[in-house]
Amino acid sequence: MTTMGIDAGVLSDDDLVRELRQLHATRSETFFHGSDDALATHTSRTDELETEYLRRHPEREIDPMRLREGARQRS
């Protein structure tokens, strides 16, 4: 499946993050109310952008509270 938009590999870091934030903000609306094609495109584009972000930032900051031990501390 092809996605719409600029190839993730050529986006600047700022543009990549902006695109990811926009997709994450619209995910629920697309999931609950979008057509099958819209959902497939949204999923594909999200995967493309997230894969590119992880490629660029393999050592991204991990919030310790988002790990299993952090969840145990919250309980």
Side-chain angles (χ1 to χ4, degrees):
M1 172 181 298
T2 59
T3 61
M4 298 178 67
I6 298 171
D7 181 87
V10 300
L11 292 171
S12 69
D13 281 349
D14 288 342
D15 288 339
L16 179 60
V17 169
R18 187 187 73 249
E19 291 288 320
L20 278 167
R21 289 189 189 285
Q22 178 62 28
L23 281 170
H24 284 239
T26 60
R27 182 62 181 179
S28 290
E29 188 69 23
T30 304
F31 180 78
F32 287 112
H33 306 291
S35 67
D36 290 345
D37 286 344
L39 181 59
T41 300
H42 197 279
T43 300
S44 179
R45 181 63 170 170
T46 300
D47 182 57
E48 177 186 7
L49 295 174
E50 287 178 346
T51 298
E52 179 61 21
Y53 184 88
L54 292 173
R55 186 191 69 74
R56 293 183 195 186
H57 304 282
E59 300 297 325
R60 72 193 193 287
E61 181 181 337
I62 305 297
D63 181 349
M65 296 308 288
R66 301 290 302 194
L67 300 173
R68 216 173 261 153
E69 186 61 34
R72 287 186 190 113
Q73 290 174 13
R74 288 191 304 268
S75 297

